[in-house]
Amino acid sequence: MGLGPNVLALYHQLKILGRFEGLTDVVELGSQGVWCPDPQLLKGLFDAFGKPTPPEHELAPYINSTGTGIASSRHLHEHLGFRYDCIDIDANFGSLTLDLNFDSVPPEHRNRYGLTTNHGTTEHIFNQYNAFKAIHDLTKPGGLMLHGLPFTVHLDHGFFNYQPNLFEALARYNSYRTLGIWVALDWTLSSFVPWQPQLLDFLVMNGKTTHLLLVLQEKMYETEFCIPIQGVYESMIPAASASRYQLVVDGEYYSGHRFTHITNPPVPSLAADTDSPLPVGGGPAANGEMRVQAKDEAAASIHLLNGRTPITEYGGRELAKELGRRIRRRLAI
């Protein structure tokens, strides 16, 4: 897919809004190309970054409307002032050679980059867990993760299309800060609009539709990647299965087993202190590892109202924030 007009326009706006301030290192999933049918969009991007527009013979490969990136993304990012790396299964554009279906991020590249981009790469990778874990591992705390991915139709473009609730779940379980979710109406256009579910009533869909989902998130903490559960199924997960999951709240790990008790607690038989903090695990569970919980775990998760909003009334993201507030209050932080 590469970097097309909508991504270039988003770069322009993010630079104007100050989101790229202090950002020096970028890594891309995939050795990407850049294409743009509008020379003025490219020139405006270089102006926004305070960089001179490359000479015409260097700019010419960018200018096309075919959707095929001939110009290298390395050339673009380095001329915008970034230090650039990319990851791919080949060595195209000087990429770090990794197969994201199997390979982990090397230690020297972990928590290193201020911007990690996924401009149409993960939809071609079968191992989605490893791909999104790589994005997490590459990004340093405070760094940004930018996705430009197929949303609707894109018939036979890749293995997968993506939904907004995936990124909401990733944010909830990993304490990411979601800075924006947008929909680009076509990958040949430079326009995009903030995501709202009602947009689906107005989007035209047919065999040629190429709606894109653009997502910008910030990684807040240097923690291991946590696999999310889709929000609508959190309350249905059996305790034994939920024990395999972790989520991050204020940089600390919490068992998914306890999380399900809080979101869908058993009928209380004992009174418990409403401010009792939840014990923190020593680290993330390995993929597939079971964590044995104490026998009193269910009782520790029971909360009486005492004039407060019951914790069962909180949604996923609000729940994480409320847990953090209660923990800080309990510890008098």
Side-chain angles (χ1 to χ4, degrees):
M1 187 175 294
L3 284 74
N6 43 72
V7 172
L8 299 177
L10 182 58
Y11 269 39
H12 191 158
Q13 292 200 21
L14 293 175
K15 178 61 176 178
I16 291 173
L17 293 171
R19 290 296 183 189
F20 285 164
E21 290 306 311
L23 197 158
T24 56
D25 293 87
V26 60
V27 62
E28 290 194 308
L29 265 63
S31 50
Q32 300 289 359
V34 184
W35 62 280
C36 181
D38 182 4
Q40 295 306 313
L41 179 59
L42 278 169
K43 293 176 181 178
L45 180 62
F46 286 106
D47 287 343
F49 277 80
K51 302 295 181 181
T53 302
E56 290 299 325
H57 71 277
E58 292 186 24
L59 206 60
Y62 288 86
I63 309 302
N64 75 77
S65 57
T66 65
T68 301
I70 300 172
S72 76
S73 184
R74 175 182 294 278
H75 181 276
L76 173 69
H77 283 92
E78 289 181 347
H79 278 72
L80 292 177
F82 295 108
R83 290 191 293 266
Y84 176 88
D85 283 320
C86 60
I87 290 174
D88 213 327
I89 199 169
D90 58 22
N92 194 27
F93 298 149
S95 64
L96 172 66
T97 305
L98 292 177
D99 185 342
L100 289 174
N101 273 313
F102 300 103
D103 297 333
S104 299
V105 173
E108 64 271 21
H109 290 272
R110 287 174 61 98
N111 298 298
R112 173 175 168 180
Y113 298 94
L115 175 63
T116 302
T117 68
N118 174 23
H119 295 310
T121 294
T122 56
E123 73 265 28
H124 304 290
I125 297 171
F126 188 79
N127 191 341
Q128 293 289 287
Y129 163 73
N130 197 55
F132 280 90
K133 182 179 185 298
I135 294 169
H136 177 95
D137 290 346
L138 289 162
T139 310
K140 67 182 181 181
L144 303 178
M145 298 166 287
L146 178 59
H147 306 269
L149 297 169
F151 179 30
T152 67
V153 191
H154 279 85
L155 191 62
D156 268 350
H157 169 75
F159 289 151
F160 304 100
N161 287 6
Y162 294 86
Q163 306 300 318
N165 78 85
L166 167 65
F167 298 96
E168 292 165 0
L170 286 168
R172 186 164 64 253
Y173 277 76
N174 291 279
S175 276
Y176 296 159
R177 183 180 171 205
T178 300
L179 301 175
I181 300 179
W182 304 271
V183 174
L185 303 181
D186 187 272
W187 65 353
T188 64
L189 302 177
S190 59
S191 57
F192 49 88
V193 294
W195 160 248
Q196 298 180 68
Q198 296 89 335
L199 282 173
L200 291 177
D201 295 332
F202 302 95
L203 296 178
V204 175
M205 283 182 267
N206 55 49
K208 297 181 179 180
T209 297
T210 56
H211 299 142
L212 293 182
L213 196 66
L214 303 171
V215 182
L216 182 67
Q217 296 182 310
E218 181 181 0
K219 177 181 173 180
M220 304 301 293
Y221 305 105
E222 187 175 335
T223 51
E224 294 298 321
F225 180 68
C226 295
I227 301 172
I229 301 171
Q230 190 175 5
V232 296
Y233 295 109
E234 282 173 350
S235 62
M236 306 178 195
I237 301 295
S241 298
S243 299
R244 308 173 78 169
Y245 293 83
Q246 296 280 328
L247 71 158
V248 173
V249 180
D250 289 339
E252 302 290 348
Y253 298 105
Y254 286 80
S255 166
H257 177 54
R258 178 166 282 111
F259 183 61
T260 58
H261 272 296
I262 293 169
T263 55
N264 190 24
V267 177
S269 58
L270 297 172
D273 180 359
T274 57
D275 283 337
S276 294
L278 302 178
V280 177
N287 193 28
E289 178 186 345
M290 297 292 289
R291 285 191 177 274
V292 179
Q293 304 298 320
K295 290 182 179 179
D296 62 347
E297 181 155 353
S301 299
I302 298 169
H303 295 267
L304 301 181
L305 300 186
N306 289 343
R308 300 178 184 176
T309 302
I311 204 162
T312 54
E313 297 297 318
Y314 290 96
R317 189 176 301 171
E318 291 75 18
L319 172 63
K321 293 179 180 178
E322 178 63 15
L323 284 174
R325 285 193 291 268
R326 293 191 182 193
I327 291 167
R328 290 191 293 271
R329 184 167 64 245
R330 183 71 175 181
L331 299 177
I333 297 177

